Amino acid sequence: MLVVMRHDATAEQVESVARVIEDMGYQPRPIPGAQRTAVGVVGNDGRVDAARLGALPGVREIVHITKPYRQVSREWKSDDSVIALPGGVVIGGRDLVVIAGPCSVESKDQILEVAQAVRECGAAVLRGGAFKPRSSPYSFQGLGQAGLDLLAEAREHTGLAVITEAMDPESVSAVQECADIIQVGSRNMQNFSLLKKVGRASKPTMLKRGLAATVTEWLLSAEYLVSEGNHQVMLCERGIRGFDGTTRNLFDVTAIPATQSLSHLPVIADPSHGTGRRDLVPAMARAATAAGAHGLMIEVHPDPERARSDGDQTLSIPEFATLMQEIRAIAEALGRGIATPVRQAVG
Amino acid sequence: MLVVMRHDATAEQVESVARVIEDMGYQPRPIPGAQRTAVGVVGNDGRVDAARLGALPGVREIVHITKPYRQVSREWKSDDSVIALPGGVVIGGRDLVVIAGPCSVESKDQILEVAQAVRECGAAVLRGGAFKPRSSPYSFQGLGQAGLDLLAEAREHTGLAVITEAMDPESVSAVQECADIIQVGSRNMQNFSLLKKVGRASKPTMLKRGLAATVTEWLLSAEYLVSEGNHQVMLCERGIRGFDGTTRNLFDVTAIPATQSLSHLPVIADPSHGTGRRDLVPAMARAATAAGAHGLMIEVHPDPERARSDGDQTLSIPEFATLMQEIRAIAEALGRGIATPVRQAVG
Amino acid sequence: MLVVMRHDATAEQVESVARVIEDMGYQPRPIPGAQRTAVGVVGNDGRVDAARLGALPGVREIVHITKPYRQVSREWKSDDSVIALPGGVVIGGRDLVVIAGPCSVESKDQILEVAQAVRECGAAVLRGGAFKPRSSPYSFQGLGQAGLDLLAEAREHTGLAVITEAMDPESVSAVQECADIIQVGSRNMQNFSLLKKVGRASKPTMLKRGLAATVTEWLLSAEYLVSEGNHQVMLCERGIRGFDGTTRNLFDVTAIPATQSLSHLPVIADPSHGTGRRDLVPAMARAATAAGAHGLMIEVHPDPERARSDGDQTLSIPEFATLMQEIRAIAEALGRGIATPVRQAVG
Amino acid sequence: MLVVMRHDATAEQVESVARVIEDMGYQPRPIPGAQRTAVGVVGNDGRVDAARLGALPGVREIVHITKPYRQVSREWKSDDSVIALPGGVVIGGRDLVVIAGPCSVESKDQILEVAQAVRECGAAVLRGGAFKPRSSPYSFQGLGQAGLDLLAEAREHTGLAVITEAMDPESVSAVQECADIIQVGSRNMQNFSLLKKVGRASKPTMLKRGLAATVTEWLLSAEYLVSEGNHQVMLCERGIRGFDGTTRNLFDVTAIPATQSLSHLPVIADPSHGTGRRDLVPAMARAATAAGAHGLMIEVHPDPERARSDGDQTLSIPEFATLMQEIRAIAEALGRGIATPVRQAVG
């Protein structure tokens, strides 16, 4: 439930609404916004006395949330959520944020070379897996803590923010220590114990869509994060399961605007996993940009043929450079730009 | 099987290869192209004497087609196929062709108003259903022949080429009489009797992808058309069946570049059926453009709320006008344009 | 809309209700049944005067059909539909009907051998394709009319009823001439022109479910048949499109009882196409029997390895014999039997 | 890789093969069986010297495992795996094991009543969720440790073995302490950290198939369990994601025999989640039995309408009693029985 304030409501009136909500045994959640100010009622068990709240001074109306998810819905907050990263990059605003890097962190040389190269091409965030979820127990499982340390080093050298995945509740603290954005992977979208743990972390978080997840289920998983207190949540479409082996996954580009219409959270697109084919990544990165994604996540490697994971869907550095020009052209044609970090590299 | 000629092969040598193929009991199909000239062997039963053909003067190499479809594959013809419409519009070239109009032809006023409006916004082809395939026998089934006559009238007035659907072998002649492009609908993608009939028509044909069709099955259906002699075939991605009711269909944007990599046929995108939601059509029309579609097919109606079919996914005329500006901006950012008919309207 | 009569309503009262419906400009469709007698109103345009009908003598209540399909729904007719075949076999009753035979009719020897063998194992209907829908134009397309003639000959020899597919409106008369049951194939489930033509035939018809069809869409296609006057309709579940290549299709066994709960039409199961794998056909034929299918359709060939189509999913005659014993055991454990033709073989 | 011994190989020869494998730096895994004795090579990095092993006395042949999963494949172990539960029940043998109980443990009265009732109907294992994975953070999340204590109490009273789910690495020890079978849920099928933890537990484990998992991916997840040392693994088919909302999930009955053909692990069927509809559970429990499932898992509640979770798919006790009779009849028709615990109840 949402208590929407009148345009001319005073700060005292907002404050007083919050106090009454607390008195009733619920938690008030003030939601300032350009279009309206509101106070959300968290912990609503269906027995909130709406009439009492509706009668308070400065209150315009009481809005009942109709979606099963609540705090992540547009009903709850009509303005887009904006997430500020260290280095000055903002996700969810006018400009498109490009996240790039290898599937897995493999070595110091590898990650520094990629980081430097994607920075020069215009990426704002460096991706790289340290803990890798792999279908087979016999596949390379990532460098672990050593991978996190290399990511931190790459950030020092380039000024890029860093995103990497936490695979289980245990590794959340280590990942949170290192990363600027914690990634929750596709296979863990409904790992609710992990979601609760990450929901209590104080770091921006990217939640990838599960292979069989409806948009509603995806937003419910985001609600797990937000209901634990983590409001810096972005979503990532990365392909769902389809019936045609022509592509590895079925990249649901439509889910990008469809989700943006239902939720105020930023939506990133991952055409690398979305297609699973290097030759299709550029076309689909362009498509996601034109569809209105807030950002792109692209796998890039100095030598894709030798990547220890996901080589088939990874761009080389020159391919990524060419793609960035196309992305920029489309973004500008639609009145947008590419977000650039202001933080300076050390190296 | 394909007999690829040397760069310096003479017309006589090509002719002679064709004669030998005929002598062997197969049909020669010359395939001129910017990149290479070749002669296809149709009717290949796996017993063609490749060595004999390979030894003929002017022959560079014998290529065995590895795909189950043959004449529609890139192996068969590496250059893009280009289809010229009356009025001077070309499908499959550098410029994007926009097809627009109502789901169903409903009345003279309706179709003339839409035709005029979409022409002014920059569309090159008018769509409109006269024979309508409907899930329920109790739904509006189209105006039939009267609808075809109205389409012809709209063409007279606007100079737009016209596309409309043939639902069964019986109606092919009537549709062929009227239309500039014959549409084979999604539900009929594997109606092989219809495909054979349309394959013997001498009109450009658009084959929509079936809801459960893999790209391979789609191209095999196109092969039915081409193997009957109709080489003016374009494909249309219009959404497949998905598990998430958030959208009516699952618009498989990736299938556009994926199919272009396998086949030389032009690929059109239909975001109206692809999404089933008017609010998502613009974003997905932009996405398909950026992904490299050769054209777009958009449902437009003067009053979508009152459309007799598909109103939920139909743009109003002002919405279409806005969309065309965005499409043009994206096309130009990628070095393309919007194809315009040179034929003058009568009215 | 349905006018349900009181238990003690007289034949005159039913007659009189029908006359009033006619007077109102609609068609009355009397639906006698063990549980209730009703008169359906066909052509209902939403303006039927329910009050007038409700007030007639002998009328218990007016039922509004809530499903998009009408005459095939359980609301319209609560008793199971029963279809009697020449030879005395009944589909839709207590006993399970087994349909067996090759994918395609290939030769006289082949079809006579299979017919004799499946008859001896307990099958009641012979299947065999004369007109074959094939994904590729280069695959064997069936023997056509010659195949129909061979089927008729096999019927003469064995007394089995015969089912074969009509692929297009043109072939309906030829198929109807020969077959005891007309099959509408999966790829034609929404070939509405074909449905209308078959709906005007006076032969029992089996409608296979489309690869991407929901149960609702399947029943709407059955409604096309029934609304044209053909009430002898049975349905056939034959697998839908799935994401896992482990099996050719995804055999939706649950659709059998789910459809039976929504419709009074008999539901047959086809585990051959449902799985696409010979080694899985027996287990899934048993499963469909236990789930309550009214019949089974099984591909059997004297030499599956040499079958001209679908060999991978076809049982040999000994495999079929073993399966029939298992099917019989399960049917009997559930208080059912296997339907046997009483008509004597000629040969 | 697998070293298959000759029929007349001595224990010393097997022992000696194991020693050589160890000397080569890998782990030997002896696999005795009715059909053959073999020694698996774990840790195979593709550089094992097969010739050296093949030359050892008593060795018949060296088998290379072709599947991406290894130890769970039929290639590795051709005999069915059999899992013995306390109480004398065996999973994976001739007799069908029925697991029944409520979705969630709700109270002492509820769980004791259900346990007693399903025991009387012939179930051998009691199910009940203490830690509940729920799509929404606002849904009932289970009683936690208190739920585990109630399950233990129900076991004391009835002699039934107990299965319950572990949702995260943290809860594995608590669940392992209480349960006779640890369940890994569908949403956690690729929660690899959880799999590794459960793989180090010494309790039988049931791995549910994920909603979008292929059979290959499912078996790879089982391989995670086995490769950590837990060989008492059974699988559970519980429905995958489908496109038709007629049922909650798409119950893939064919996956039961298909998986049994690829793996030696027992396969259980869960028609409650598989269908999501109480009215369809009996038909699909019968179907799974006839398809050859090693066991069934059925949700039963004294008052399904008031269940705190999954009420729509839960049978009442009388419905379950009726179903058990049908299951028993089908099992017996196929030469099987229903497994019964020999352990006596306390109460």
Side-chain angles (χ1 to χ4, degrees):
Chain A
M1 182 186 288
L2 212 60
V3 183
V4 180
M5 306 304 295
R6 294 170 42 157
H7 246 285
D8 57 0
T10 62
E12 288 72 31
Q13 288 172 333
V14 174
E15 179 61 28
S16 146
V17 164
R19 255 199 322 273
V20 173
I21 291 171
E22 254 171 4
D23 287 353
M24 291 164 119
Y26 308 102
Q27 302 156 51
R29 192 88 79 218
I31 310 161
Q35 297 175 37
R36 68 172 189 203
T37 290
V39 186
V41 181
V42 173
N44 182 356
D45 50 7
R47 282 177 299 184
V48 176
D49 182 351
R52 182 171 162 204
L53 291 169
L56 294 175
V59 170
R60 192 179 80 206
E61 61 174 334
I62 302 298
V63 171
H64 295 274
I65 306 298
T66 61
K67 303 291 181 187
Y69 40 86
R70 299 177 195 166
Q71 297 185 51
V72 305
S73 74
R74 280 268 176 217
E75 295 171 299
W76 185 271
K77 178 161 175 293
S78 50
D79 291 335
D80 283 357
S81 277
V82 166
I83 299 169
L85 298 182
V89 166
V90 156
I91 299 180
R94 196 192 61 114
D95 288 348
L96 196 82
V97 173
V98 179
I99 303 170
C103 177
S104 303
V105 180
E106 297 172 4
S107 69
K108 181 168 169 178
D109 283 358
Q110 174 235 29
I111 195 69
L112 291 187
E113 178 178 353
V114 180
Q116 195 60 44
V118 301
R119 165 72 143 126
E120 276 162 24
C121 296
V125 183
L126 174 68
R127 67 151 286 152
F131 300 99
K132 294 299 305 172
R134 302 303 299 276
S135 299
S136 165
Y138 307 120
S139 301
F140 172 57
Q141 312 262 322
L143 296 183
Q145 181 62 46
L148 296 181
D149 295 343
L150 292 175
L151 284 170
E153 203 172 331
R155 173 175 43 209
E156 282 306 296
H157 277 269
T158 58
L160 292 172
V162 157
I163 179 171
T164 197
E165 178 165 353
M167 272 182 64
D168 45 44
E170 288 91 335
S171 60
V172 170
S173 345
V175 168
Q176 178 179 4
E177 187 91 11
C178 160
D180 299 297
I181 308 174
I182 304 171
Q183 175 175 318
V184 175
S186 196
R187 296 177 179 83
N188 280 321
M189 193 202 85
Q190 293 191 316
N191 179 341
F192 302 116
S193 304
L194 177 61
L195 293 176
K196 285 179 183 171
K197 189 77 187 283
V198 174
R200 289 190 292 268
S202 50
K203 274 284 168 71
T205 297
M206 187 174 87
L207 178 65
K208 295 194 118 183
R209 183 179 179 191
L211 261 86
T214 61
V215 168
T216 296
E217 291 166 338
W218 191 18
L219 291 174
L220 279 167
S221 285
E223 187 82 10
Y224 263 94
L225 294 167
V226 171
S227 68
E228 294 286 337
N230 185 341
H231 290 264
Q232 302 183 78
V233 176
M234 64 198 87
L235 301 163
C236 178
E237 161 63 32
R238 46 80 72 209
I240 54 177
R241 189 117 260 177
F243 58 76
D244 189 353
T246 299
T247 48
R248 177 181 177 192
N249 293 305
L250 209 172
F251 191 35
D252 186 5
V253 184
T254 314
I256 300 166
T259 302
Q260 289 168 334
S261 77
L262 295 167
S263 172
H264 51 82
L265 301 178
V267 183
I268 309 294
D270 174 351
S272 303
H273 288 86
T275 64
R277 280 175 49 181
R278 189 185 315 153
D279 65 325
L280 299 176
V281 168
M284 299 316 294
R286 296 194 308 257
T289 302
H294 291 100
L296 297 173
M297 175 137 163
I298 312 274
E299 290 189 339
V300 180
H301 192 283
D303 186 356
E305 307 292 343
R306 301 206 176 172
R308 296 192 68 179
S309 53
D310 279 357
D312 289 349
Q313 67 194 34
T314 298
L315 298 188
S316 68
I317 290 166
E319 287 167 338
F320 179 66
T322 304
L323 173 58
M324 285 300 289
Q325 292 170 4
E326 296 177 341
I327 294 304
R328 193 180 300 276
I330 293 172
E332 287 171 0
L334 297 169
R336 305 174 64 197
I338 305 288
T340 326
V342 296
R343 182 164 69 175
Q344 288 307 309
V346 168
Chain B
M1 185 186 287
L2 212 61
V3 183
V4 181
M5 305 303 294
R6 292 170 43 154
H7 246 283
D8 56 1
T10 63
E12 288 69 32
Q13 289 172 331
V14 174
E15 180 59 31
S16 149
V17 164
R19 255 199 321 275
V20 173
I21 291 171
E22 252 169 8
D23 287 353
M24 293 164 119
Y26 307 102
Q27 302 156 52
R29 189 91 77 221
I31 309 160
Q35 299 175 34
R36 68 171 191 204
T37 290
V39 187
V41 181
V42 172
N44 181 357
D45 51 6
R47 285 177 298 184
V48 177
D49 182 352
R52 182 173 163 202
L53 290 169
L56 293 174
V59 170
R60 194 180 73 205
E61 61 174 334
I62 303 297
V63 171
H64 295 272
I65 306 297
T66 62
K67 302 292 180 186
Y69 40 86
R70 298 174 198 169
Q71 298 185 50
V72 304
S73 73
R74 281 268 176 216
E75 293 171 299
W76 186 270
K77 178 163 178 291
S78 52
D79 291 335
D80 284 357
S81 277
V82 165
I83 300 168
L85 299 181
V89 166
V90 155
I91 299 181
R94 197 192 60 115
D95 288 347
L96 196 83
V97 174
V98 178
I99 304 169
C103 177
S104 303
V105 179
E106 297 172 3
S107 70
K108 182 170 171 175
D109 284 357
Q110 176 236 27
I111 195 68
L112 292 187
E113 179 178 353
V114 180
Q116 197 58 47
V118 301
R119 165 72 145 126
E120 278 161 24
C121 296
V125 183
L126 175 67
R127 64 153 287 153
F131 300 99
K132 295 299 304 171
R134 303 303 299 276
S135 300
S136 166
Y138 307 121
S139 300
F140 173 59
Q141 312 263 322
L143 296 183
Q145 182 61 49
L148 296 181
D149 296 342
L150 292 175
L151 283 170
E153 202 172 332
R155 174 174 43 207
E156 282 305 297
H157 277 269
T158 58
L160 292 172
V162 156
I163 180 171
T164 197
E165 178 164 353
M167 270 182 66
D168 44 44
E170 288 91 332
S171 60
V172 170
S173 349
V175 167
Q176 178 180 4
E177 187 91 12
C178 159
D180 300 296
I181 309 173
I182 305 172
Q183 175 176 316
V184 175
S186 193
R187 294 176 180 85
N188 280 322
M189 192 202 85
Q190 293 192 315
N191 180 340
F192 302 116
S193 305
L194 176 61
L195 293 177
K196 286 178 183 171
K197 190 76 187 284
V198 175
R200 291 189 292 268
S202 52
K203 273 287 167 69
T205 297
M206 186 175 87
L207 177 65
K208 295 194 118 184
R209 182 179 180 191
L211 261 85
T214 60
V215 168
T216 296
E217 290 166 340
W218 191 17
L219 290 174
L220 280 167
S221 286
E223 187 82 10
Y224 264 95
L225 295 166
V226 171
S227 68
E228 293 287 338
N230 186 339
H231 290 265
Q232 299 181 296
V233 176
M234 65 198 86
L235 302 163
C236 178
E237 160 63 33
R238 47 77 73 209
I240 54 177
R241 189 117 262 175
F243 58 75
D244 189 352
T246 299
T247 49
R248 180 182 175 191
N249 293 306
L250 208 172
F251 190 36
D252 187 5
V253 183
T254 314
I256 300 165
T259 303
Q260 288 167 335
S261 76
L262 295 167
S263 173
H264 52 82
L265 302 178
V267 184
I268 309 293
D270 174 351
S272 303
H273 287 87
T275 63
R277 280 174 50 180
R278 187 185 314 154
D279 65 325
L280 298 176
V281 169
M284 298 317 295
R286 297 194 308 257
T289 302
H294 291 102
L296 296 174
M297 175 138 164
I298 313 273
E299 291 190 339
V300 181
H301 193 283
D303 186 356
E305 307 291 345
R306 301 206 176 173
R308 295 192 69 181
S309 52
D310 279 356
D312 290 349
Q313 69 195 34
T314 299
L315 298 188
S316 68
I317 291 166
E319 287 166 338
F320 179 66
T322 303
L323 173 59
M324 284 300 288
Q325 292 171 4
E326 296 177 340
I327 294 303
R328 192 178 299 276
I330 293 172
E332 288 172 358
L334 297 169
R336 306 175 63 197
I338 306 287
T340 327
V342 297
R343 182 166 68 178
Q344 287 307 308
V346 170
Chain C
M1 184 187 287
L2 211 61
V3 183
V4 180
M5 306 302 296
R6 291 169 45 153
H7 246 283
D8 56 2
T10 63
E12 287 72 31
Q13 287 173 334
V14 174
E15 180 59 29
S16 147
V17 165
R19 258 199 320 275
V20 174
I21 291 171
E22 253 170 7
D23 287 354
M24 292 164 119
Y26 307 102
Q27 304 156 52
R29 191 89 78 219
I31 310 161
Q35 298 175 36
R36 68 170 192 204
T37 291
V39 187
V41 182
V42 172
N44 181 358
D45 52 5
R47 281 177 301 184
V48 178
D49 182 351
R52 181 171 164 205
L53 290 168
L56 292 176
V59 170
R60 193 179 76 204
E61 59 171 335
I62 302 297
V63 171
H64 295 275
I65 307 297
T66 60
K67 303 290 180 186
Y69 41 87
R70 299 176 198 168
Q71 298 185 51
V72 304
S73 73
R74 281 268 175 215
E75 295 171 299
W76 185 271
K77 180 162 174 293
S78 50
D79 292 334
D80 283 358
S81 277
V82 166
I83 300 168
L85 299 182
V89 165
V90 155
I91 299 181
R94 195 192 60 115
D95 289 348
L96 196 82
V97 174
V98 178
I99 303 168
C103 177
S104 303
V105 181
E106 296 171 4
S107 70
K108 181 169 169 177
D109 285 356
Q110 175 235 27
I111 194 69
L112 291 187
E113 179 179 353
V114 180
Q116 197 59 46
V118 301
R119 165 70 144 128
E120 278 161 24
C121 297
V125 182
L126 175 67
R127 66 153 286 150
F131 300 100
K132 296 299 305 171
R134 302 304 299 277
S135 300
S136 166
Y138 307 120
S139 301
F140 173 58
Q141 313 262 321
L143 297 182
Q145 181 61 46
L148 295 181
D149 296 342
L150 292 175
L151 283 171
E153 203 172 332
R155 173 174 45 209
E156 281 307 295
H157 278 268
T158 57
L160 292 172
V162 155
I163 180 170
T164 197
E165 177 163 354
M167 271 183 64
D168 45 44
E170 288 90 333
S171 61
V172 170
S173 348
V175 168
Q176 179 180 5
E177 187 91 14
C178 161
D180 301 295
I181 309 174
I182 304 170
Q183 176 176 316
V184 176
S186 193
R187 294 177 179 85
N188 279 322
M189 193 201 85
Q190 292 192 316
N191 179 341
F192 302 117
S193 305
L194 176 61
L195 293 176
K196 285 180 183 170
K197 190 76 186 286
V198 174
R200 289 189 293 267
S202 51
K203 273 286 169 69
T205 297
M206 187 175 86
L207 177 65
K208 295 195 118 184
R209 183 179 179 190
L211 261 85
T214 62
V215 168
T216 296
E217 289 165 341
W218 191 16
L219 290 173
L220 279 167
S221 285
E223 188 83 8
Y224 263 95
L225 294 167
V226 171
S227 69
E228 292 287 336
N230 186 341
H231 290 264
Q232 299 182 297
V233 175
M234 66 199 86
L235 302 164
C236 179
E237 161 63 31
R238 46 79 71 211
I240 53 177
R241 190 116 263 177
F243 57 75
D244 188 354
T246 300
T247 50
R248 180 181 174 192
N249 293 305
L250 209 173
F251 190 35
D252 187 4
V253 184
T254 313
I256 300 166
T259 303
Q260 289 168 335
S261 77
L262 294 167
S263 172
H264 51 82
L265 301 178
V267 183
I268 309 294
D270 174 351
S272 303
H273 287 87
T275 64
R277 280 174 50 179
R278 189 186 313 154
D279 65 324
L280 299 176
V281 169
M284 299 317 294
R286 297 194 308 258
T289 302
H294 290 101
L296 296 174
M297 177 139 163
I298 313 273
E299 290 190 338
V300 181
H301 193 283
D303 187 356
E305 307 292 345
R306 301 204 177 173
R308 296 191 68 181
S309 51
D310 278 356
D312 289 348
Q313 67 194 35
T314 298
L315 298 188
S316 68
I317 290 166
E319 287 167 337
F320 179 65
T322 303
L323 173 59
M324 284 300 287
Q325 292 171 5
E326 296 177 341
I327 295 302
R328 193 179 299 276
I330 294 172
E332 288 172 358
L334 297 170
R336 307 175 63 196
I338 305 287
T340 327
V342 297
R343 183 165 67 175
Q344 288 307 307
V346 167
Chain D
M1 183 186 289
L2 210 61
V3 183
V4 180
M5 306 303 296
R6 294 168 43 154
H7 247 284
D8 56 2
T10 62
E12 287 69 33
Q13 288 173 334
V14 175
E15 179 60 27
S16 147
V17 164
R19 255 197 324 270
V20 173
I21 292 170
E22 254 171 6
D23 286 354
M24 292 165 120
Y26 307 102
Q27 303 156 52
R29 190 89 78 217
I31 310 161
Q35 299 175 35
R36 68 170 191 205
T37 291
V39 187
V41 181
V42 172
N44 182 356
D45 50 5
R47 283 176 299 184
V48 177
D49 182 351
R52 180 171 165 204
L53 290 170
L56 293 176
V59 170
R60 195 180 75 208
E61 59 173 337
I62 302 298
V63 172
H64 294 273
I65 306 297
T66 61
K67 303 293 180 183
Y69 41 86
R70 299 176 196 169
Q71 299 186 50
V72 303
S73 74
R74 281 269 175 215
E75 295 171 298
W76 185 271
K77 178 163 176 292
S78 52
D79 293 333
D80 283 357
S81 278
V82 166
I83 300 168
L85 298 181
V89 166
V90 155
I91 299 180
R94 197 193 59 114
D95 289 347
L96 196 83
V97 174
V98 178
I99 303 169
C103 177
S104 303
V105 180
E106 297 172 2
S107 70
K108 181 170 170 177
D109 284 357
Q110 176 237 25
I111 195 69
L112 291 187
E113 179 179 353
V114 180
Q116 196 60 46
V118 301
R119 164 72 146 124
E120 278 161 23
C121 296
V125 183
L126 175 67
R127 66 151 287 152
F131 300 99
K132 297 298 306 170
R134 302 303 300 278
S135 300
S136 165
Y138 307 121
S139 300
F140 172 58
Q141 312 261 322
L143 296 183
Q145 181 62 47
L148 295 181
D149 296 342
L150 291 175
L151 284 170
E153 202 172 333
R155 174 173 44 206
E156 282 304 296
H157 277 269
T158 57
L160 292 171
V162 156
I163 180 171
T164 198
E165 177 164 354
M167 273 182 64
D168 45 44
E170 288 91 333
S171 60
V172 170
S173 349
V175 167
Q176 179 180 3
E177 186 92 13
C178 161
D180 300 297
I181 308 172
I182 303 171
Q183 176 176 315
V184 175
S186 195
R187 295 177 179 84
N188 278 322
M189 193 201 85
Q190 293 191 316
N191 179 340
F192 303 115
S193 304
L194 176 61
L195 293 176
K196 286 180 183 171
K197 189 75 185 284
V198 174
R200 291 190 290 268
S202 50
K203 274 287 168 67
T205 297
M206 187 175 88
L207 177 65
K208 297 194 116 184
R209 182 179 179 190
L211 262 87
T214 62
V215 168
T216 296
E217 291 166 337
W218 192 15
L219 290 174
L220 279 168
S221 286
E223 187 82 8
Y224 264 95
L225 294 167
V226 171
S227 69
E228 294 286 337
N230 185 341
H231 290 263
Q232 299 182 293
V233 175
M234 65 198 86
L235 302 163
C236 178
E237 161 63 34
R238 47 77 73 207
I240 53 177
R241 190 117 262 176
F243 57 74
D244 188 354
T246 299
T247 49
R248 180 181 174 192
N249 294 305
L250 209 173
F251 190 36
D252 186 4
V253 184
T254 313
I256 300 166
T259 303
Q260 289 168 335
S261 77
L262 294 167
S263 172
H264 52 82
L265 301 179
V267 183
I268 310 294
D270 174 350
S272 303
H273 288 87
T275 64
R277 280 175 48 180
R278 189 186 312 154
D279 65 324
L280 299 175
V281 169
M284 299 317 294
R286 296 194 310 257
T289 301
H294 290 101
L296 296 174
M297 177 139 162
I298 312 274
E299 290 190 338
V300 181
H301 193 282
D303 186 356
E305 306 292 345
R306 302 206 176 171
R308 296 192 68 180
S309 52
D310 278 356
D312 290 349
Q313 68 194 35
T314 299
L315 298 188
S316 68
I317 290 166
E319 287 167 339
F320 179 66
T322 303
L323 173 58
M324 284 300 288
Q325 293 171 5
E326 297 177 341
I327 293 303
R328 193 179 299 277
I330 293 172
E332 288 172 357
L334 296 169
R336 306 175 64 197
I338 305 288
T340 327
V342 296
R343 184 164 67 176
Q344 290 305 308
V346 168

